[in-house]
Amino acid sequence: MDSIRELINKLEKCHILSREELCFLIDNIGQEDEAYLYDRARRTALAHYGNAIYVRGLMEFTNHCKNDCYYCGIRRGNPNLTRYRLKEEQIMDCCREGYELGFRTFVLQGGEDPWYTDDKIACLVKGIKSMYPDCAVTLSVGEKEYETYKMWFDAGADRYLLRHETADPCHYARLHPNQMSSEHRKQCLKDLKAIGFQTGCGIMVGSPFQTTAHIAEDMEFMYELQPQMVGIGPFIPHHDTPFRDKAPGTLRQTLLLLAMVRLMLPSVLLPATTALGTIDPAGREKGVMAGANVVMPNLSPLEVRKSYMLYDNKISTGSEAASNIKELKERMEKIGYRVVTDRGDFKRI
Ligand code: 5AD
């Protein structure tokens, strides 16, 4: 086996390593090589996107969900939260505020809520796109059939986020009830890409029962899919879920994986996630320094934010609030980056 340094160089040059090499790298990297990895990843992001940080206005428009994922705070089985749905006018108000603040991407994220039918979502997309033709719309509303995704794409949606959560079917089955399958989720991602969406997959780092081999498998899956976006954040337990007592993922693990994904998919759009900002007050900055180039501030109305707790202590009012974009800008400038007013589309090399 090559030395750690050689493996990092190989990942940068060839973009993929064998499963054994990936596992060896993850399990054996030490502090000095970590600093080297982050530096290579950061330079790769700079080479593709310069020092621009793209922002996405996140609208959590419904917390109703028909799924019962064991890790998630808004799972169907959690009775201890106030369920809400934003109305179309409220969503349009969020967009107006977001546009004025400089956002040129709006993300509609929600639980899998049957009340929001395929047609209603298509209408929302059309409404936003006709009012803001210079903006991108990203959907993140879970698993649907090909025809639905196609209809939303034809309605004008540009991007779709659907984390695969874990590429390993057995691991997937330990995080989700029987009704959900890894196979269907992967099929959705393939459909989304085939339709023409800029597509995002991703995982939680340190999710319960996750092994190094699982992470290596996730990387292989991502390499095969070649997504335009990858969402990676630490798992954080939520007190009203079956995983309440499980250990959270760590900052270090998350940064390591962000940097490895940057080297594997050099021009990927890679957010420094809210979960990363939740486990460490400087998490987003550290993420950027490890190769991330996107931040997704919260544009949802203040009064519903506490009801969209996917995990405990989820931050939503500091520099992660869209209204505090000035603070985010300052924080990014302090580390040599600039928040830009731009759709921030995927750039093919
Ligand atoms: N910790 C971290 N991330 C979580 N998500 C859901 N629950 C948690 C949790 N407890 C992530 C999932 C999902 C995304 C919207 O939020 O990866 O795809």
Side-chain angles (χ1 to χ4, degrees):
M1 184 79 73
D2 293 333
S3 74
I4 294 286
R5 197 60 71 108
E6 280 162 351
L7 287 177
I8 296 170
N9 290 337
K10 192 165 162 189
L11 182 60
E12 181 177 2
K13 197 158 146 253
C14 311
H15 309 301
I16 188 68
L17 301 176
S18 72
R19 194 172 295 187
E20 293 70 33
E21 288 171 328
L22 287 168
C23 287
F24 184 81
L25 176 56
I26 296 167
D27 284 336
N28 295 288
I29 190 165
Q31 248 179 26
E32 241 174 69
D33 289 325
E34 257 169 53
Y36 178 73
L37 169 66
Y38 299 157
D39 185 65
R40 297 317 305 168
R42 196 171 59 81
R43 284 172 194 272
T44 301
L46 282 169
H48 287 90
Y49 291 100
N51 68 345
I53 297 294
Y54 299 121
V55 286
R56 322 298 195 197
L58 184 62
M59 302 181 287
E60 298 158 333
F61 72 105
T62 171
N63 71 349
H64 289 260
C65 191
K66 66 179 170 73
N67 294 330
D68 219 9
C69 309
Y70 303 143
Y71 46 84
C72 184
I74 65 167
R75 64 199 300 268
R76 184 186 65 211
N78 180 9
N80 302 322
L81 77 159
T82 311
R83 301 282 175 177
Y84 72 87
R85 291 183 181 104
L86 297 185
K87 297 198 184 67
E88 185 172 354
E89 307 90 82
Q90 287 177 294
I91 295 172
M92 294 312 286
D93 284 347
C94 294
C95 291
R96 186 174 324 115
E97 185 193 344
Y99 194 89
E100 280 163 18
L101 291 166
F103 289 88
R104 294 297 178 268
T105 292
F106 299 118
V107 182
L108 282 171
Q109 182 172 90
E112 292 196 18
D113 177 2
W115 186 89
Y116 262 110
T117 58
D118 299 348
D119 285 334
K120 283 192 183 121
I121 290 187
C123 276
L124 281 178
V125 172
K126 282 184 199 153
I128 299 174
K129 291 293 284 194
S130 67
M131 188 77 99
Y132 303 100
D134 55 333
C135 292
V137 170
T138 303
L139 289 174
S140 179
V141 291
E143 296 180 37
K144 299 282 168 174
E145 296 307 310
Y146 182 96
E147 292 68 34
T148 300
Y149 287 149
K150 178 79 171 72
M151 173 174 84
W152 291 342
F153 185 75
D154 293 339
D158 302 274
R159 307 186 192 130
Y160 204 101
L161 301 175
L162 181 71
R163 291 191 182 174
H164 64 288
E165 312 297 358
T166 173
D168 181 87
C170 296
H171 186 217
Y172 192 91
R174 301 189 76 176
L175 304 179
H176 304 92
N178 283 338
Q179 296 88 320
M180 297 177 74
S181 80
S182 168
E183 202 192 341
H184 189 253
R185 209 153 176 103
K186 287 177 180 166
Q187 186 56 48
C188 287
L189 284 163
K190 283 176 200 146
D191 290 346
L192 288 162
K193 250 205 108 186
I195 289 167
F197 281 102
Q198 292 178 48
T199 303
C201 65
I203 63 165
M204 296 176 286
V205 181
S207 62
F209 319 112
Q210 187 183 60
T211 63
T212 309
H214 291 143
I215 298 179
E217 207 177 323
D218 286 320
M219 293 204 58
E220 283 171 7
F221 172 74
M222 291 180 208
Y223 186 74
E224 217 181 281
L225 180 69
Q226 292 286 317
Q228 287 84 8
M229 305 171 284
V230 172
I232 292 174
F235 161 74
I236 303 173
H238 184 290
H239 63 278
D240 277 324
T241 65
F243 289 167
R244 61 179 65 84
D245 296 323
K246 302 287 181 200
T250 66
L251 173 74
R252 176 177 171 271
Q253 272 177 316
T254 309
L255 296 177
L256 196 64
L257 202 58
L258 281 174
M260 287 174 67
V261 168
R262 170 60 69 202
L263 294 185
M264 183 174 76
L265 304 167
S267 56
V268 77
L269 294 160
L270 191 63
T273 55
T274 307
L276 186 58
T278 298
I279 58 164
D280 187 299
R284 251 91 41 94
E285 283 92 334
K286 290 174 187 171
V288 169
M289 298 309 273
N293 65 334
V294 171
V295 182
M296 300 171 64
N298 198 316
L299 256 184
S300 309
L302 208 53
E303 63 275 14
V304 303
R305 283 187 209 166
K306 60 182 178 318
S307 301
Y308 205 87
M309 286 285 164
L310 304 178
Y311 44 83
D312 285 341
N313 307 313
K314 177 169 165 259
I315 51 173
S316 65
T317 52
S319 64
E320 51 289 328
S323 54
N324 292 342
I325 187 141
K326 189 165 165 281
E327 185 188 330
L328 180 69
K329 281 181 176 163
E330 287 163 6
R331 288 176 63 161
M332 290 297 141
E333 275 162 25
K334 275 207 182 105
I335 56 167
Y337 287 79
R338 62 198 168 89
V339 170
V340 295
T341 295
D342 191 302
R343 279 173 49 121
D345 285 297
F346 178 75
K347 286 187 188 154
R348 214 165 292 282
I349 348 164

